[in-house]
Amino acid sequence: VILSKASLNYVKWIEDENIIVLDAYTIKNTDSILEIADGIILTGGEDINPLEYNDTTNIEVCGPINFSRDTLDRKLFDFAFKNKLPLIGVCRGMQMINVASGGTLYGDIPTEIGTTVIHRKNGEVLHEIALSCENDDYTNLIFPLDKDTFLVNSWHHQALKDIAENIKIVARSYDSLPEAAIMDRSIHPFMISVQFHPERLGKENGIHQQMRKSFLNAIYN
């Protein structure tokens, strides 16, 4: 499994006796590891360069831009899309899936959407989200089936704006911002993403477990 940029939390979330985790960010020849990849996780990180979605107004509200990371994440997405490899996007990873598919982002939630829901405040915060899709074949790839609202962690100031074609939003926060999305399964068999951080929710958390389980099932099957 390839992580676009590894941290211990992501490794611990996905580790398994049959899995080798590779950090693409520290490997110069990504072509060599893509040849042996069984699954990819686009992890969290810096703001995506707004020029990636043809926007110049958002540049002034972005943090430092990591150009090499943008290039790497797009390459990993393109490879997973073309070769139908299982892929998870987390936070920035969800945003990159939308951007690489032709969508756009809000530059700064508080100034563009408001503060009805706090998505970031001196670090990580908690807020509720609700399912916005009734298709269990989609929602069950991310969420346990026993309820339709969930408390999640949040640490971002940008979010999906114009949703790319073939991306289905399956959960939203109460300010209507997308919190979970899945690529149309007729286009790609397993490409799921969330705006929050399942790798930090803890091993007893239902979403943490469900995403891990569905990702491994997609790899092994």
Side-chain angles (χ1 to χ4, degrees), residues 15-204:
E15 65 185 355
D16 182 80
E17 61 181 11
N18 298 314
I19 284 180
I20 297 170
V21 178
L22 299 176
D23 181 1
Y25 195 72
T26 64
I27 296 173
K28 290 184 178 179
N29 187 356
T30 51
D31 290 335
S32 63
I33 60 173
L34 285 173
E35 287 299 319
I36 59 171
D38 295 303
I40 293 172
I41 300 178
L42 299 182
T43 60
E46 307 92 339
D47 293 338
I48 295 169
N49 185 353
L51 296 180
E52 293 278 344
Y53 48 97
N54 300 315
D55 186 311
T56 57
T57 60
N58 280 348
I59 292 175
E60 60 190 37
V61 296
C62 278
I65 300 298
N66 186 333
F67 296 98
S68 61
R69 180 78 192 275
D70 289 337
T71 301
L72 173 63
D73 281 12
R74 265 192 181 268
K75 182 173 184 176
L76 296 179
F77 168 85
D78 289 344
F79 187 88
F81 186 82
K82 179 181 178 181
N83 294 281
K84 301 296 186 283
L85 278 189
L87 183 143
I88 291 178
V90 175
C91 197
R92 170 197 164 91
M94 174 170 166
Q95 296 171 6
M96 180 54 81
I97 289 172
N98 188 52
V99 167
S101 300
T104 66
L105 304 178
Y106 288 109
D108 184 63
I109 294 168
T111 54
E112 292 189 62
I113 302 299
T115 55
T116 304
V117 176
I118 303 298
H119 293 271
R120 180 178 74 172
K121 187 176 182 181
N122 300 321
E124 194 170 86
V125 295
L126 298 174
H127 65 71
E128 282 197 321
I129 65 173
L131 297 187
S132 57
C133 171
E134 296 182 356
N135 186 339
D136 289 349
D137 289 339
Y138 277 81
T139 58
N140 194 37
L141 296 177
I142 297 175
F143 300 99
L145 284 175
D146 55 346
K147 55 183 180 176
D148 57 11
T149 60
F150 301 88
L151 186 67
V152 298
N153 51 0
S154 180
W155 190 2
H156 62 104
H157 77 110
Q158 300 193 322
L160 273 60
K161 184 179 182 180
D162 299 310
I163 309 303
E165 186 179 4
N166 299 323
I167 290 180
K168 297 181 178 295
I169 304 304
V170 298
R172 294 180 183 268
S173 49
Y174 288 112
D175 52 5
S176 295
L177 287 175
E179 290 282 345
I182 296 175
M183 182 74 71
D184 187 321
R185 298 188 74 184
S186 67
I187 303 297
H188 191 285
F190 189 91
M191 188 176 288
I192 69 175
S193 60
V194 293
Q195 187 58 69
F196 49 91
H197 287 271
E199 81 283 0
R200 296 205 297 260
L201 285 175
K203 288 191 174 182
E204 302 305 313

